Amino acid sequence: MEETVIGIIGMGLMGKMYARRLSAAGWRYETPGSRRISRPNAFSLKEEFFGDEKVVIFEDGYGVSRSSDYIIYSVEAETIDKVVAEYGRATKKHAIVGGQTSCKAPEMAAFERHLPSDVEIISCHSLHGPHVDPKGQPLVLVKHRASQKSFDLVTRILSCFGSERVHLSAQVHDRITADTQAVTHAAFLSMGTAWCANNQFPWEHSRYIGGIENVKCNITLRIYSNKWHVYAGLAILNPSAKQQIRQYAESVTDLFKLMLGGHKAELEKRIKTAGEAVFNSARRREQPLLLSDEVLDQFSLGKVPKERTPNNHLSLLAMVDCWWKLGIIPYDHMICSTPLFRLWLGVTEYLFRKSALLDEVINVAIEDNTFRSDDLEFTFAARGWSECVSFGDFSSYRDRFEKIQSYFAPRFPEATRIGNEMIKVILEKT
């Protein structure tokens, strides 16, 4: 059988995960070949992959492009055009090239602009982080410019991940990832910003421990423990994301104004109309909740208090309001959802499908000022992130992100451990 050489250009966390999985899979015995990887800091990679004879380290991407039959660009969406412009012209004749970015519009534009016409284009996107087991997770494959034979080859190569393959066009991929990720990220980024502005570590306050609060704290810290560019590329470069993040900020602002004004009837009508549109189809009512009380209370960064402090859950109410305003039914995209999105959907569903809890939340929103200062900072934060994304400024996005990241950094190891356990449970249920 003809030897196939696989190349990876870009050795961040996802690139390394791909390299290790491909190297360890035993796939080469089906179609023998080496995994060729490039990065300017080649010496440290040679040390890291020392002893793995299936991994060959090059000094730069030229060697990878010249010798590889299937090349994966595992670089940031912000830099994909620059990197492909540099190495694309050296691509081996009739090779297959793909990317691993979360936003396919700039990726496909870069490939079409810089790759030779004889090169085939098949991209992918693993919808999970580098520390999550890819087995059973969605893996999007985009057959952009390729024969069925080449597409079958790429499918066989990536089958070693054990992921659930989803075939989409680049355009549909970007729309769905915006629907499932852009607003989810914006919500948690805003929570972290608000807590930092109030100089709070939420797990040190009993009102942010237990139940839904556990998910908020753990996933906020999980997001801020990652690299900023993981979220910036999707938010800024995805054509659909800006509109959705803007709508989330508007939903937060509108609902907060109704709370401040004491307009209970209007607030209740708007929230329940949104909830009816998103959650209360006959099909959903027949199915069990994604999350239970036992699961929600299981994962805490602090000691769970005997009595729960009622919260108005502005972030959750605004999420459902945003979905309603945009006409998004989140269950339609479960096949392409990330673990974080499934957790976020689980807690919003938990709130909206428990009528007594939803009524309590509405009453608290009008009558209880306990979380008012937190909600004010959260509203500022949601609007601030929306403005940052609308300006399209990666430098500003990075500055905002890394400021909050440094504030929460001491608790990242524990939050990552608990978050991994939480994700494992939710994946078993969905």
Side-chain angles (χ1 to χ4, degrees):
M1 189 176 290
E2 182 184 357
E3 178 179 317
T4 300
V5 178
I6 303 168
I8 300 176
I9 296 178
M11 283 296 284
L13 294 177
M14 286 301 288
K16 290 178 181 178
M17 186 276 283
Y18 264 57
R20 291 192 176 99
R21 291 277 175 176
L22 291 169
S23 177
W27 183 87
R28 72 182 183 90
Y29 295 108
E30 229 177 290
T31 309
S34 3
R35 308 329 182 213
R36 311 217 180 232
I37 300 138
S38 77
R39 187 183 180 184
N41 189 9
F43 180 76
S44 64
L45 285 176
K46 288 178 180 178
E47 287 187 321
E48 188 171 345
F49 286 88
F50 179 77
D52 191 337
E53 297 179 355
K54 296 184 290 295
V55 176
V56 179
I57 310 297
F58 281 80
E59 293 299 323
D60 55 43
Y62 292 110
V64 176
S65 294
R66 292 292 294 168
S67 62
S68 301
D69 302 295
Y70 172 41
I71 304 160
I72 302 172
Y73 282 83
S74 186
V75 300
E76 305 160 22
E78 178 192 9
T79 62
I80 186 73
D81 187 79
K82 178 181 178 181
V83 177
V84 177
E86 184 171 1
Y87 301 128
R89 62 182 181 274
T91 304
K92 183 178 179 180
K93 192 172 183 180
H94 301 306
I96 305 167
V97 173
Q100 225 283 95
T101 69
S102 60
C103 184
K104 295 304 178 190
E107 180 182 302
M108 294 305 163
F111 289 156
E112 291 177 349
R113 186 178 299 120
H114 303 300
L115 293 178
S117 59
D118 62 274
V119 171
E120 297 185 271
I121 302 172
I122 303 172
S123 275
C124 62
H125 181 201
S126 293
L127 288 163
H128 57 84
H131 304 301
V132 174
D133 186 347
K135 185 177 181 180
Q137 296 301 314
L139 170 63
V140 174
L141 296 177
V142 178
K143 181 183 175 186
H144 187 71
R145 187 177 80 196
S147 66
Q148 188 59 42
K149 180 181 178 181
S150 294
F151 188 72
D152 292 342
L153 173 62
V154 170
T155 300
R156 288 200 305 274
I157 291 170
L158 298 181
S159 66
C160 66
F161 292 171
S163 299
E164 292 290 331
R165 295 188 298 275
V166 184
H167 299 170
L168 299 174
S169 68
Q171 294 81 3
V172 173
H173 166 275
D174 283 356
R175 180 177 58 80
I176 291 178
T177 52
D179 288 354
T180 57
Q181 295 185 54
V183 180
T184 305
H185 297 161
F188 289 113
L189 291 172
S190 299
M191 283 183 226
T193 304
W195 287 328
C196 180
N198 277 334
N199 197 26
Q200 290 177 335
F201 294 106
W203 53 87
E204 295 178 352
H205 300 266
S206 60
R207 64 187 185 185
Y208 279 118
I209 299 175
I212 291 173
E213 309 300 345
N214 287 344
V215 175
K216 291 180 182 178
C217 291
N218 281 305
I219 298 191
T220 296
L221 292 189
R222 189 178 185 87
I223 283 178
Y224 276 107
S225 69
N226 288 324
K227 300 291 186 180
W228 66 276
H229 64 78
V230 174
Y231 310 105
L234 170 62
I236 294 174
L237 298 176
N238 189 312
S240 302
K242 290 182 180 180
Q243 175 194 3
Q244 297 187 10
I245 295 171
R246 185 186 311 114
Q247 179 57 59
Y248 183 69
E250 291 176 0
S251 292
V252 170
T253 303
D254 290 348
L255 295 180
F256 184 58
K257 287 179 178 179
L258 291 175
M259 294 177 186
L260 283 179
H263 303 299
K264 182 177 180 180
E266 188 176 350
L267 178 67
E268 182 173 17
K269 180 180 179 181
R270 179 160 174 169
I271 289 172
K272 292 192 172 181
T273 299
E276 185 70 25
V278 173
F279 294 109
N280 287 337
S281 68
R283 178 171 59 88
R284 284 310 310 167
R285 282 195 294 266
E286 295 171 359
Q287 296 182 7
L289 292 170
L290 296 175
L291 294 175
S292 64
D293 293 294
E294 294 76 15
V295 171
L296 289 170
D297 282 332
Q298 188 175 341
F299 306 102
S300 176
L301 286 169
K303 185 177 179 181
V304 178
K306 292 182 179 180
E307 292 188 10
R308 177 176 55 86
T309 302
N311 190 339
N312 61 53
H313 294 302
L314 175 58
S315 60
L316 295 172
L317 299 180
M319 180 63 65
V320 177
D321 187 82
C322 175
W323 284 335
W324 168 53
K325 291 289 186 180
L326 293 170
I328 295 173
I329 304 299
Y331 301 101
D332 292 347
H333 301 321
M334 290 296 281
I335 191 61
C336 287
S337 61
T338 64
L340 296 188
F341 175 75
R342 274 169 270 179
L343 274 170
W344 195 226
L345 175 58
V347 292
T348 54
E349 178 194 66
Y350 177 90
L351 170 60
F352 274 80
R353 288 182 61 192
K354 290 196 165 205
S355 57
L357 179 58
L358 186 61
D359 287 339
E360 176 190 278
V361 164
I362 294 170
N363 287 331
V364 169
I366 299 298
E367 300 169 4
D368 191 332
N369 291 326
T370 303
F371 288 88
R372 200 68 85 212
S373 62
D374 301 54
D375 292 337
L376 176 64
E377 292 293 351
F378 180 76
T379 303
F380 289 157
R383 293 168 68 96
W385 279 109
S386 177
E387 290 173 0
C388 180
V389 169
S390 68
F391 294 149
D393 185 353
F394 281 93
S395 178
S396 175
Y397 192 105
R398 180 176 186 173
D399 288 344
R400 290 173 62 89
F401 187 96
E402 291 185 341
K403 175 186 175 183
I404 314 303
Q405 185 179 58
S406 63
Y407 178 77
F408 289 116
R411 294 302 291 266
F412 286 160
E414 184 181 3
T416 299
R417 178 185 61 80
I418 294 175
N420 287 341
E421 295 172 3
M422 185 186 298
I423 285 173
K424 181 180 179 182
V425 170
I426 188 67
L427 294 182
E428 290 172 354
K429 300 177 73 66
T430 58

